[in-house]
Amino acid sequence: MSVLVEVRRLTTPQDLFHAAAEEVLRAASNAVEQNGRFTIALSGGSTPRSLYTLIAANASASLPWDKMFFFWGDERHVPPDDPESNYRMAQESLLSKVPVPPANVFRVPAENPDAAAAAEAYEQTLRKFFAVKPGEFPRFDLILLGMGPDGHTASLFPETAALQEKSRLVVANWVEKFKASRITFTLPVLNSARCVAFLVSGTDKATALHEVLEGKAPPEKYPSKLVQPSEGKLIWFVDRAAASELSAA
Ligand code: 6PG
């Protein structure tokens, strides 16, 4: 099955955040109309933070918060109050500012000193919430992702073990350059989503973006290339700086 890919080139980072916020609103209202709920996985990073801040400031009244269910596509191996925590970032920039019921927020229990156990616990949370049977994967309405300058996404870093995972939903992934574990959704979860949206801003991402969208390098070197939701939509929100090494539109 071919993947529906849309590259949305915006001019400034602000344009990118506005376009992505509109997509979140659209996806939420479609999902609630069709299924009575909206499931979204958030990402860490500075680009998503600006999106969350914008949604909290402008769209708080237009979203069906009681029908929205929040998860995280990846987490750093730190407690929820740590400055590095992706949960803390989303909590501070968005979730604490809107009327979302606390029971709709499912964070990674990354305070567990055993990263593999934290990943396993989060996998069970997903299995239960989505009622997935063995061999199946949850189908998120929307997964938001950032991309690092090395082409990583979620915590799927180049040439790391998690890239090979075919059956687990969430794994701990050792990242040698940080000498730390991260907890991350696996590719089968990303690729089962109804929609995956990448937010990519800044010149430091230009080379990786070119490699991912147009280059010939092996995908293990640029893991974002492996995100191919086979029965979903893939949208790249990119600003002019990030798109500066892409061929002309
Ligand atoms: C994280 C992320 C990671 C991030 C990218 C892009 O926890 O760090 O989920 O995948 O999205 O590194 O980050 P920026 O938007 O800050 O460049």
Side-chain angles (χ1 to χ4, degrees):
M1 188 154 316
S2 67
V3 180
L4 204 59
V5 188
E6 194 189 330
V7 180
R8 306 233 352 232
R9 298 189 188 208
L10 291 311
T11 308
T12 65
Q14 275 311 316
D15 296 336
L16 182 158
F17 305 138
H18 278 280
E22 275 170 27
E23 188 59 39
V24 172
L25 261 66
R26 188 165 36 241
S29 85
N30 287 347
V32 169
E33 202 178 298
Q34 284 167 23
N35 307 316
R37 73 176 191 195
F38 176 58
T39 52
I40 180 168
L42 303 179
S43 121
S46 55
T47 319
R49 179 200 291 266
S50 301
L51 168 66
Y52 305 156
T53 304
L54 182 74
I55 292 176
N58 292 356
S60 183
S62 12
L63 281 162
W65 297 103
D66 59 327
K67 298 187 179 67
M68 295 175 73
F69 296 85
F70 291 86
F71 296 81
W72 276 260
D74 76 319
E75 186 55 277
R76 286 92 186 262
H77 189 203
V78 295
D81 58 353
D82 190 286
E84 283 281 294
S85 162
N86 287 343
Y87 164 78
R88 176 175 167 171
M89 186 275 271
Q91 184 66 25
E92 287 179 353
S93 57
L94 174 64
L95 299 173
S96 64
K97 300 187 159 60
V98 297
V100 62
N104 291 16
V105 177
F106 296 86
R107 69 170 180 85
V108 181
E111 65 276 28
N112 190 326
D114 179 346
E120 174 64 36
Y122 203 49
E123 171 156 335
Q124 292 311 324
T125 300
L126 294 189
R127 287 194 181 281
K128 196 164 155 212
F129 181 89
F130 287 92
V132 282
K133 302 193 189 76
E136 288 181 356
F137 296 96
R139 189 149 166 75
F140 277 90
D141 293 309
L142 180 60
I143 297 182
L144 294 176
L145 293 175
M147 181 179 76
D150 59 356
H152 87 264
T153 191
S155 284
L156 299 167
F157 285 80
E159 297 175 294
T160 51
L163 301 183
Q164 306 306 324
E165 185 56 51
K166 303 278 187 295
S167 55
R168 294 285 309 276
L169 275 46
V170 185
V171 293
N173 197 24
W174 178 257
V175 186
E176 188 54 35
K177 67 175 165 187
F178 300 142
K179 300 264 184 270
S181 288
R182 293 281 191 96
I183 296 146
T184 184
F185 280 5
T186 59
L187 286 163
V189 173
L190 302 182
N191 289 336
S192 299
R194 288 200 172 80
C195 181
V196 174
F198 274 93
L199 312 182
V200 188
S201 163
T203 39
D204 60 327
K205 313 286 175 65
T207 302
L209 189 66
H210 164 75
E211 278 302 337
V212 169
L213 294 178
E214 300 177 343
K216 301 247 179 304
E220 301 73 36
K221 289 198 181 299
Y222 293 92
S224 300
K225 230 176 176 164
L226 294 163
V227 180
Q228 301 279 339
S230 51
E231 288 172 45
K233 195 164 66 165
L234 174 60
I235 312 178
W236 286 86
F237 290 95
V238 303
D239 66 6
R240 191 163 52 192
S244 56
E245 290 183 30
L246 295 182
S247 49

